[in-house]
Amino acid sequence: MNGFFKTYVGRNGARLRGTLLLALVLALLLTACGRGKADGKDPAQNADVTDTTQTAPKSEQEPQTPAEPPLPSQSVQPAEPPLPSQSVQPAEPPLPSQSVQPAEPERPAEPAVPEIVPAPAAETPAEPVRQDGSAAAGGIASMAYDLLGCAFESGGSGPDTFDNSGFVYYICRENGIAIPRRSSEMADFGESVAWDDLQSGDICVMANEIGGSAGFVGIYVGDMQFIACNKPGTVASVQNLDVQYWRDRFISGRRVA
């Protein structure tokens, strides 16, 4: 409301001053009329008196109360500009949601590494010993085991490749026994031994055909087994003597030590 009043006064100040002056004059006139009535005069006379008063020289006029100077209009303070509305701080953008790291896929369980159980070391067969205590016979059987896997070679007599008779020849020579080179000659060397009396270190003599002459030899190692190097494409190996094939071709055993 105060602001509105100040604005109104500021715009209409001159008009208000004029109005105030007119009101002051009317007040003076009413005051003069009141005095005339008090003296017993009628209004017309008062009007005449008023007129004469106005025309009378200033010296004869009653001293008039000087009009109060109009109050200086209060300086209208300019309306204070409305306070600027508080600047609304823009809402802070929502913090970016923390990126959810995708759950790492479960790693497949590593296959259990099979425990490697070392194969038991091949038992080295006890050095065969004849019942009569011949160390040479035991050495013959033991060396036959050592040469397992050596390849067949026609005419070979050691130390890495052998033919059939060369295998027996090499082993006997290495053990100090001067045996003949050919299988046919080995069939007559040493002491003859029957099938049921064979002992480790004896030489088995067989024929290549049933009823044939000696043509194949091997080293007996006990338990009806012998070691021989048979034919091209094979290696020295343990073979079973107690099969029909060798039963039919067995000639004799030869004890050389």
Side-chain angles (χ1 to χ4, degrees), residues 110-156:
E110 295 182 358
V113 178
E115 182 180 358
I116 299 175
V117 179
E123 296 182 0
T124 302
E127 183 175 337
V129 179
R130 282 186 184 274
Q131 292 181 359
D132 59 10
S134 174
I140 292 173
S142 178
M143 182 171 287
Y145 276 111
D146 292 340
L147 296 178
L148 286 173
C150 290
F152 180 97
E153 182 182 15
S154 181

Side-chain angles (χ1 to χ4, degrees), residues 7-238:
T7 303
Y8 180 79
V9 171
R11 292 179 179 178
N12 302 281
R15 187 179 299 175
L16 288 175
R17 285 193 294 272
T19 303
L20 289 174
L21 289 173
L22 180 60
L24 182 60
V25 172
L26 290 175
L28 292 174
L29 289 175
L30 291 174
T31 301
C33 289
R35 290 179 180 177
K37 288 182 179 181
D39 295 337
K41 297 178 180 181
D42 56 9
Q45 292 176 350
N46 289 335
D48 293 338
V49 172
T50 301
D51 295 337
T52 57
T53 301
Q54 293 176 352
T55 57
K58 292 181 180 180
S59 60
E60 296 179 359
Q61 292 181 357
E62 295 181 359
Q64 297 180 358
T65 302
E68 296 180 0
L71 296 174
S73 61
Q74 296 180 354
S75 60
V76 178
Q77 298 295 331
E80 296 181 0
L83 295 176
S85 59
Q86 295 181 352
S87 60
V88 179
Q89 297 295 330
E92 295 183 359
L95 295 176
S97 59
Q98 296 181 351
S99 59
V100 179
Q101 297 295 330
E104 295 184 359
E106 295 183 0
R107 295 181 178 179
E110 295 182 358
V113 178
E115 182 180 358
I116 299 175
V117 179
E123 296 182 0
T124 302
E127 183 175 337
V129 179
R130 282 186 184 274
Q131 292 181 359
D132 59 10
S134 174
I140 292 173
S142 178
M143 182 171 287
Y145 276 111
D146 292 340
L147 296 178
L148 286 173
C150 290
F152 180 97
E153 182 182 15
S154 181
S157 56
D160 299 317
T161 57
F162 307 92
D163 62 14
N164 177 253
S165 61
F167 182 77
V168 176
Y169 174 82
Y170 176 82
I171 292 174
C172 290
R173 290 281 180 171
E174 289 296 311
N175 284 274
I177 301 171
I179 193 172
R181 174 68 172 83
R182 297 176 181 274
S183 57
S184 58
E185 295 172 350
M186 293 179 187
D188 297 326
F189 185 83
E191 179 185 350
S192 179
V193 179
W195 174 279
D196 296 332
D197 295 330
L198 288 171
Q199 294 185 11
S200 179
D202 290 343
I203 297 174
C204 298
V205 180
M206 279 84 74
N208 289 323
E209 297 178 357
I210 298 175
S213 60
F216 185 87
V217 290
I219 303 294
Y220 185 79
V221 292
D223 297 327
M224 300 308 294
Q225 292 182 330
F226 70 98
I227 298 175
C229 202
N230 289 16
K231 58 185 178 180
T234 64
V235 296
S237 60
V238 178

